[in-house]
Amino acid sequence: MYEKDGERYFIVDGHVHFWDARPANQANRYGEGFINCFYDYHKNLSPESEKWTLEQFWQQSEEKILHDLFEVGYVDHAVFQPTYLTDFYVNGFNTTEQDGALAEKHPDKFTVNGAWDPRDGEAGLDKLEALAERWNLKGVKLYTAEWKGDSKGWKLSDPWSYRYLEKCQELGIRNIHVHKGPTIYPLNRDAFDVADIDDVASAFPDLRFIVEHVGLPRLEDYCWIATQEANVYGGLAVALPFIHTRPRYFAQIIGELLYWTDENRITFASDYAIWTPKWLIEAFVDFQIPEDMQSEYGVLTTDIKKKILGLNVAKLYDLEVPEGLGVSEAPADSGDAVGSAPKVPA
C-alpha cells in the first residue's frame, strides 16, 4: 500500500518477472543481445538513483524481489508474466515454473500466469491444459514475436491461435496479456504489431486482452482498436517510465488512453526487473497533466490514480481489496466508446 497526503492506494503490479539472463544461461548471441536491450531500457529511463549494474540486472534473488516489490516498493500483490525464449536461453528466460516456485512460497503476494505458442500445435494444447491445472491459471502472457526454429513470429488471428484461445475459454483463463509494441533485439517490430488484437477481441468477447505497453509506438492504432472493443485493456509497462525522462510525452500517452477509453481499462505495471515499482508509484501519484494539455485530456484525479495503480487489475484477477482502499465508485464497464463503437444490427 502507498500513502500520500492522507490518501491510501492499493497497489497491484500487473507485470513482473523472475528471470535468469546470466551468461551461463545464454544459449547464443541473441540471448546476450536480448538482456542487453532490456538493460538499455532500464538505464536510459530510470532515475540515476535507481540504476543497477548489468551484473545486478542479469538475475535477482528471492530476497531482492521481495524487498524491491513488497518491502520498499509499496506493492500489495504482483502478477508474474512468463517469457520463455527457449531459442535464446538454455533453461528459458522466465518460465511459469520459475515464477511458480517463488509464488508457491508466497501465495498471498503473487499470481502466476502461463503461456502458450500456437506453433506447438496439438501437443501444446495438452501442455496448456496441464499448466492450467498445475498453477490454477487465470491468465497467460503471449509473445507474438518469439522465435521458434525458422519462424520469427505468429499472429493472434492464425487458425492455431484460435484453437488456443478457445482452450483458454474452456479452462476459464480469461486474462490474455500480449506484448504489443516495443521491439526488443533481435525480435522483429512487425511481429509485435497491435493490429491482430482487433480480430480476436471481436471473436472472443468473453476474454480480456491486456495489451502490454499499449502498443507503443503504435499508440494511435491501439486507441482506435480499444475504443471499439470493450474487452481490450492497456498495460502501462514501458509507457510509465517516460514520466521521468519525458513527462509531457507520458502526459500525451495517458491523456490519449483516458480520452479514447477511460480509467477503468488502464493497468499499472513496473515490468520488474526492468524497472522497480517504488519510484514509478511515487512519480505517478505526484503527476498531473500539464495545464496547457488539460483542455484536451482533463486531469488525473485521485480516484483515477487509485484505479490505475491497483483496483483495475484487482478486478481482473478477483483480488480482494481491503476495506477503505477502494473508491467511491467501483471500477465498472467502460460504457459507450468515444469512437465508432460497433452497433448491434436491428
Side-chain angles (χ1 to χ4, degrees):
M1 185 190 73
Y2 180 60
E3 187 167 1
K4 179 75 180 287
D5 297 332
E7 296 288 347
R8 297 188 302 161
Y9 300 80
F10 182 66
I11 307 294
V12 183
D13 194 331
H15 191 151
V16 303
H17 310 94
F18 183 27
W19 67 49
D20 180 1
R22 292 172 296 175
N25 194 35
Q26 296 170 9
N28 47 43
R29 67 184 178 92
Y30 299 122
E32 180 184 9
F34 184 87
I35 193 62
N36 286 346
C37 185
F38 264 21
Y39 185 65
D40 285 342
Y41 277 108
H42 165 78
K43 71 179 182 182
N44 290 332
L45 296 182
S46 295
E48 194 64 33
S49 61
E50 307 300 324
K51 293 180 183 178
W52 299 345
T53 66
L54 178 59
E55 289 73 18
Q56 290 173 316
F57 196 72
W58 282 334
Q59 188 184 45
Q60 294 69 52
S61 66
E62 175 181 346
E63 292 73 22
K64 175 72 171 165
I65 291 176
L66 296 177
H67 176 76
D68 289 342
L69 296 183
F70 304 107
E71 293 177 12
V72 300
Y74 313 121
V75 175
D76 294 288
H77 195 88
V79 182
F80 275 127
Q81 306 288 359
T83 311
Y84 279 63
L85 298 175
T86 49
D87 275 22
F88 301 164
Y89 293 93
V90 176
N91 298 313
F93 176 66
N94 168 54
T95 68
T96 301
E97 291 76 10
Q98 289 171 293
D99 296 340
L102 186 56
E104 277 192 326
K105 297 171 69 174
H106 309 280
D108 58 325
K109 296 185 182 301
F110 293 106
T111 291
V112 181
N113 276 352
W116 49 259
D117 188 322
R119 294 167 296 187
D120 291 335
E122 200 72 43
L125 289 170
D126 295 338
K127 183 179 177 183
L128 173 61
E129 190 164 342
L131 206 63
E133 182 177 355
R134 172 67 180 86
W135 300 106
N136 189 29
L137 298 183
K138 293 183 178 179
V140 291
K141 168 74 181 301
L142 306 179
Y143 228 57
T144 55
E146 183 164 354
W147 290 6
K148 184 178 284 291
D150 295 332
S151 170
K152 293 189 175 181
W154 53 277
K155 291 184 181 299
L156 290 164
S157 52
D158 290 345
W160 268 103
S161 172
Y162 263 57
R163 291 280 303 278
Y164 279 76
L165 291 169
E166 290 166 356
K167 176 62 78 173
C168 283
Q169 285 194 145
E170 176 188 326
L171 296 171
I173 301 171
R174 295 190 62 197
N175 299 313
I176 313 297
H177 296 254
V178 193
H179 178 119
K180 287 296 185 185
T183 185
I184 308 161
Y185 177 87
L187 307 177
N188 294 349
R189 191 186 83 129
D190 286 348
F192 280 138
D193 194 311
V194 71
D196 55 354
I197 292 287
D198 195 18
D199 181 282
V200 292
S202 297
F204 296 92
D206 293 333
L207 300 180
R208 283 93 63 117
F209 293 88
I210 300 94
V211 177
E212 300 295 347
H213 324 302
V214 294
L216 292 176
R218 299 178 174 97
L219 178 64
E220 190 171 13
D221 287 354
Y222 166 79
C223 288
W224 280 85
I225 292 169
T227 195
Q228 295 187 40
E229 309 287 354
N231 56 338
V232 171
Y233 296 70
L236 288 179
V238 175
L240 185 52
F242 284 106
I243 202 170
H244 170 62
T245 57
R246 296 193 58 198
R248 288 185 66 85
Y249 178 51
F250 175 71
Q252 178 189 355
I253 293 170
I254 196 73
E256 292 291 334
L257 294 173
L258 290 169
Y259 174 82
W260 288 100
T261 59
D262 60 36
E263 72 271 20
N264 297 311
R265 288 198 278 145
I266 305 171
T267 64
F268 165 70
S270 68
D271 222 343
Y272 185 88
I274 304 181
W275 297 282
T276 48
K278 181 177 185 292
W279 71 269
L280 291 169
I281 293 164
E282 292 173 346
F284 184 67
V285 169
D286 289 344
F287 185 78
Q288 188 51 265
I289 292 173
E291 286 188 13
D292 64 313
M293 303 172 77
Q294 291 179 5
S295 62
E296 285 190 50
Y297 296 139
V299 298
L300 288 169
T301 66
T302 299
D303 278 0
I304 287 174
K305 292 175 181 178
K306 287 183 176 182
K307 290 180 179 180
I308 291 172
L309 285 173
L311 300 182
N312 291 338
V313 178
K315 185 181 182 189
L316 292 175
Y317 282 88
D318 299 321
L319 301 175
E320 183 177 353
V321 178
E323 187 175 350
L325 294 185
V327 295
S328 54
E329 181 183 355
D333 291 339
S334 298
D336 293 337
V338 173
S340 53
K343 306 298 182 186
V344 178

